Amino acid sequence: MSEETIWTCDRCKRTWRSSRVKNPLQRIVISSGYNHNYSPVHKYWQGDWCQECLVETGVRKPEPLPEATPSEPTRLSLEEIVREIVQEEMDNR
Ligand SMILES: [Zn+2]
């Protein structure tokens, strides 16, 4: 039995549940000041947001759309054309 993980965005409350997808959320921390060990002095808020919320609030730039790949022109084979004609003929009876 595979274990299912549920992720919930702290902002829009959308949920993802899957055992395969990796965590779709990103940790957001609002803090100020840093100690000598680079840990924040004041931590005001922390949450996990989804990609859409990060883009919506301007935290992150929208990901560029994947380049469109030209699709193969759909060309019916002779067999398919004949089958379609036969089907149409049978439907009309
Ligand atoms: Zn969200």
Side-chain angles (χ1 to χ4, degrees):
M1 204 176 96
S2 65
E3 220 170 279
E4 194 181 58
T5 314
I6 300 171
W7 292 286
T8 307
C9 173
D10 288 326
R11 187 170 177 263
C12 68
K13 305 299 176 198
R14 245 174 86 191
T15 58
W16 288 258
R17 51 175 68 220
S18 172
S19 52
R20 282 165 294 153
V21 176
K22 68 178 179 122
N23 189 353
L25 307 174
Q26 194 174 325
R27 169 108 350 132
I28 300 291
V29 180
I30 297 176
S31 61
S32 71
Y34 283 94
N35 288 324
H36 58 280
N37 61 356
Y38 298 105
S39 63
V41 177
H42 300 287
K43 205 165 170 180
Y44 303 108
W45 179 87
Q46 178 182 302
D48 295 307
W49 285 7
C50 70
Q51 189 65 32
E52 282 79 1
C53 286
L54 292 171
V55 171
E56 212 176 288
T57 53
V59 174
R60 179 174 270 189
K61 282 186 190 151
E63 302 243 321
L65 292 170
E67 267 182 56
T69 49
S71 58
E72 287 281 310
T74 50
R75 197 174 289 167
L76 294 175
S77 68
L78 183 64
E79 196 189 316
E80 285 169 318
I81 294 169
V82 170
R83 200 180 295 144
E84 252 178 46
I85 293 167
V86 169
Q87 189 64 48
E88 264 175 47
E89 285 298 312
M90 286 169 71
D91 287 346
N92 290 337
R93 283 183 191 183

